[in-house]
Amino acid sequence: MFEKVLVANRGEIAVRVMRACEELGVETVAVYSEADKNGGHVRYADEAYNVGPARAADSYLDHEAVIDAAQKAGADAIHPGYGFLAENAEFARKVENEETLTWVGPSSDAMEALGEKTKARTIMNDADVPIVPGTTDPVEEVEEVETFGDEHGYPVAIKAEGGGGGRGMKVVESADDAADELESAKREGEAYFGNDSVYLERYLENPRHIEVQIVADHHGNVRHLGERDCSLQRRHQKVVEEGPSPALSDELREKIGEAARRGVAAADYTNAGTVEFLVEEDVDRDGLLGPDANFYFLEVNTRIQVEHCVTEEITGIDILKWQLRVAAGEELDFAQDDVEIDGHAIEFRINAENAAKDFQPATGGVLTTYDPPGGVGVRVDDAMRQGDELVTDYDSMIAKLIVWGADREECLARSKRALAEYEIEGVTTIVPFHRLTCTDDRFVAGTHTTKYLDEELDPERLSDAQERWGPAEPSASADDVQVVEREFTVEVNGKRFEVDLEERGAAPLSNGGGGSPPQRPQTGSSDDGGSEAAVSGDGESVSAEMQGTVLSVEVAEGDDVAAGDVVVVLEAMKMENDIVAARGGTVSQVAVAEGDSVDMGDTLVVLE
């Protein structure tokens, strides 16, 4: 087993990996950006290194900075968590090529083969795994989209080769939309995954999203750990996951699980991963979906998943520990027949978003109250603590609530209780939405599809839930938090050391071990390198509605625009947001450029 592991991630998943390491007697190393200098994962780790400014491309996505931190710390392995570099085959290959480091994950060759969706479709098709009708070669021209739509019908899905979780996917409803959606998908693919290559698939109208957790070692053993149902989504982003699926018969469940094992084995895949499928739902069905139901391969996530906790709760198998053991060369010590599903589990993503406002990400706040639930069958994976400021530079998920019950009925009842106990003040979250979900007829009946939340759920119910169960307005800054004496840390050559100083906020996150982890300094928000340009143009300003990064500027000085025209495309919390002009006019100034970081209220464009 390894002696020291660097976790190339942040937040709750970094803490989750570190806890697994600690139980295996392995020391941990955190990396952090300037925005995360006070982060929970930094407090938890045995040591921590600064890898750059807030912008992910200059810190968490900087290959050399992360590898350099691992070498400085004397780590012998790197675990990427999920997101950031977790599915980056180039980074994995660099780690593999370092004599002193081991990559905790599938090989770079397997990541490359399955990470690019057209290659993955070919591998699965050859392994007799059903695939959705689509292209196996990258699509470059809009005419290819139109031809595919004419042949297979609309809507058509355009997907980025390196995409996942709804990123880099656009739905074309008609030929008129093809050009704009193709450009948008390619832009997102380049922005998020460094790859603007896209492919096409027939877009299924009413699917269930079913995924199978697999673990494979270097000794030829491949196991699946059952399925998870991830059908409750907003804009293709999962918000609730559960296992086992409430819609599948045992026969269909077995067919999908074996298809996943077959495909992974054909790809010579090792370590943990998830094979995702779309299952065509019969909304008028009586009973469970039988073995004749259509299911299609969607993609392989070559990493640990956000919702891996669901599988851990119903199988009793610690997937993170097995990731480390497999990377260290150990053989799986259980057969497929040994995997038993016990009870039911549901995971609720605790996102800093307002569901009543189209799941708009929170723009800031301080956790003035943070009291997570407990009791039998309740698990919370988090990294924030009372007094922490919300970091808005990255993903909006701040915690995960995972609830287990002997059956789905008990699990839902326990979920209602746990969500009611979850006290969060100072930051807006989607806890009210989750409380509504647990009483929603379609969700309780298990007949919801991936379209339900976006297209069928009455928005007024979301507003009522937010008003009933939502917190007061979030705190704008940390100035109101009481100042107390804490241990402080300083950096020398990127490494942290402890001193005694004042700190704002609550107690540090204990690592439960014998040594003292780095403690939390409170210095307020740091500059992420972005700055608002001076406004010299006359007229009305079009301002940023949230903090984010400029993906593209759609206008130039002198252009005439109409009310509703897109002027800037802004990325915030992994979502692409069109910033539109509220009224028509002529552009007198463009105050930002592609790649700029902006804060809420910054001027983007000035209209005369």
Side-chain angles (χ1 to χ4, degrees):
M1 181 49 65
F2 308 114
E3 293 184 2
K4 185 182 291 188
V5 171
L6 181 140
V7 183
N9 218 291
R10 64 180 298 277
E12 58 82 25
I13 185 55
V15 173
R16 169 71 185 96
V17 176
M18 292 170 188
R19 283 173 170 153
C21 288
E22 186 177 2
E23 292 181 17
L24 292 172
V26 177
E27 294 182 10
T28 56
V29 181
V31 291
Y32 63 96
S33 71
E34 288 293 334
D36 271 337
K37 63 173 62 177
N38 302 328
H41 71 291
V42 177
R43 298 194 293 259
Y44 193 96
D46 294 308
E47 53 188 298
Y49 291 79
N50 187 327
V51 289
R55 186 168 178 261
D58 300 323
S59 51
Y60 293 112
L61 295 177
D62 186 330
H63 298 189
E64 283 66 35
V66 173
I67 291 174
D68 183 57
Q71 292 172 333
K72 284 182 179 178
D76 47 5
I78 293 180
H79 192 302
Y82 48 68
F84 291 137
L85 297 170
E87 293 182 281
N88 189 306
E90 179 186 356
F91 177 69
R93 188 168 288 113
K94 288 179 180 179
V95 176
E96 291 168 344
N97 289 336
E98 293 289 334
E99 291 184 4
T100 60
L101 291 173
T102 297
W103 172 251
V104 182
S107 70
S108 57
D109 290 341
M111 291 176 68
E112 198 168 64
L114 293 176
E116 292 193 6
K117 303 304 187 284
T118 53
K119 291 182 181 179
R121 284 168 57 85
T122 300
I123 291 171
M124 293 296 163
N125 190 49
D126 291 344
D128 197 28
V129 177
I131 63 173
V132 181
T135 61
T136 54
D137 294 320
V139 171
E140 297 290 342
E141 305 297 334
V142 66
E143 290 77 15
E144 297 176 80
V145 181
E146 295 169 348
T147 299
F148 186 88
D150 292 339
E151 180 180 353
H152 296 282
Y154 289 96
V156 172
I158 306 177
K159 296 186 174 183
E161 284 271 16
R167 300 308 322 156
M169 175 175 139
K170 299 297 174 182
V171 178
V172 182
E173 299 290 348
S174 69
D176 294 339
D177 303 327
D180 289 344
E181 300 296 4
L182 177 61
E183 179 183 353
S184 182
K186 290 174 72 69
R187 182 172 62 235
E188 280 195 15
E190 177 64 34
Y192 291 106
F193 312 107
N195 180 359
D196 71 352
S197 182
V198 299
Y199 66 102
L200 307 178
E201 280 186 355
R202 180 166 70 86
Y203 187 67
L204 301 181
E205 292 286 7
N206 279 301
R208 298 193 73 89
H209 188 130
I210 305 295
E211 61 186 28
V212 179
Q213 177 71 57
I214 62 94
V215 182
D217 63 24
H218 295 278
H219 305 276
N221 301 302
V222 180
R223 309 284 184 259
H224 79 75
L225 308 183
E227 91 283 356
R228 299 182 291 257
D229 193 315
C230 308
S231 299
L232 200 67
Q233 304 179 5
R234 53 100 172 99
R235 298 194 295 275
H236 310 293
Q237 299 263 333
K238 305 166 188 173
V239 288
V240 175
E241 303 96 349
E242 62 181 309
S245 171
L248 305 188
S249 63
D250 288 340
E251 295 86 354
L252 181 58
R253 175 172 292 115
E254 184 62 22
K255 285 182 66 175
I256 295 175
E258 286 305 311
R261 287 184 72 193
R262 198 162 58 242
V264 163
D268 194 24
Y269 187 95
T270 56
N271 215 274
T274 303
V275 187
E276 302 198 344
F277 296 90
L278 293 179
V279 179
E280 288 193 309
E281 171 68 280
D282 178 2
V283 294
D284 297 321
R285 61 182 164 88
D286 182 17
L288 300 175
L289 293 171
D292 295 330
N294 292 325
F295 68 92
Y296 304 101
F297 167 76
L298 177 62
E299 63 183 359
V300 177
N301 286 292
T302 57
R303 54 173 168 80
I304 196 69
Q305 290 273 92
V306 174
E307 57 273 20
H308 73 276
C309 317
V310 168
T311 299
E312 291 181 330
E313 294 304 307
I314 60 176
T315 64
I317 295 173
D318 189 320
I319 302 170
L320 266 299
K321 285 184 182 178
W322 273 114
Q323 279 197 291
L324 295 160
R325 288 168 176 153
V326 167
E330 294 185 27
E331 184 174 1
L332 295 172
D333 65 1
F334 57 92
Q336 185 61 56
D337 290 342
D338 295 331
V339 178
E340 296 183 356
I341 306 300
D342 177 25
H344 196 92
I346 302 177
E347 176 179 281
F348 302 91
R349 298 192 186 197
I350 310 301
N351 297 339
E353 300 171 356
N354 189 332
K357 295 183 178 179
D358 198 27
F359 291 88
Q360 182 182 52
T363 57
V366 175
L367 283 177
T368 53
T369 299
Y370 185 72
D371 189 7
V376 175
V378 175
R379 165 180 170 180
V380 177
D381 279 20
D382 59 15
M384 293 186 72
R385 290 294 179 266
Q386 191 163 299
D388 283 356
E389 288 189 73
L390 178 68
V391 175
T392 57
D393 298 83
Y394 313 109
D395 189 272
S396 61
M397 189 176 68
I398 60 174
K400 302 182 302 193
L401 169 65
I402 308 96
V403 181
W404 177 91
D407 52 32
R408 193 168 188 261
E409 183 179 5
E410 181 180 60
C411 187
L412 283 169
R414 187 168 286 162
S415 296
K416 293 178 189 177
R417 185 266 294 171
L419 287 162
E421 289 181 8
Y422 213 145
E423 294 188 34
I424 302 176
E425 297 287 344
V427 173
T428 299
T429 72
I430 60 172
V431 167
F433 160 77
H434 288 316
R435 296 184 69 173
L436 172 65
T437 296
C438 289
T439 63
D440 180 76
D441 291 342
R442 284 285 298 276
F443 181 78
V444 171
T447 59
H448 57 289
T449 70
T450 58
K451 305 293 186 64
Y452 177 63
L453 183 52
D454 287 334
E455 299 180 4
E456 299 180 50
L457 185 66
D458 185 354
E460 289 189 9
R461 297 181 64 199
L462 296 176
S463 297
D464 291 344
Q466 187 65 35
E467 183 176 349
R468 180 179 179 186
W469 293 309
E473 286 298 310
S475 175
S477 72
D479 293 341
D480 297 331
V481 181
Q482 183 179 3
V483 178
V484 295
E485 292 289 334
R486 299 289 184 199
E487 287 186 332
F488 191 75
T489 58
V490 295
E491 293 176 14
V492 178
N493 295 327
K495 186 175 180 179
R496 297 166 73 90
F497 296 90
E498 299 177 12
V499 296
D500 292 328
L501 208 63
E502 288 184 345
E503 179 193 29
R504 300 174 185 268
L509 176 66
S510 171
N511 72 346
S516 296
Q519 306 296 304
R520 175 185 184 270
Q522 179 68 44
T523 57
S525 299
S526 60
D527 184 6
D528 64 1
S531 60
E532 184 179 3
V535 178
S536 58
D538 295 326
E540 181 175 314
S541 296
V542 179
S543 302
E545 300 169 356
M546 61 205 73
Q547 185 183 57
T549 301
V550 177
L551 286 183
S552 69
V553 178
E554 301 296 312
V555 296
E557 291 184 14
D559 286 354
D560 291 327
V561 299
D565 284 354
V566 177
V567 295
V568 170
V569 180
L570 185 67
E571 184 275 325
M573 295 291 194
K574 286 191 174 182
M575 303 299 294
E576 184 174 308
N577 302 273
D578 291 337
I579 308 301
V580 301
R583 65 173 182 82
T586 301
V587 178
S588 61
Q589 182 185 4
V590 177
V592 294
E594 182 178 333
D596 284 355
S597 296
V598 297
D599 290 323
M600 183 179 182
D602 284 358
T603 296
L604 306 176
V605 171
V606 180
L607 300 178
E608 289 183 339

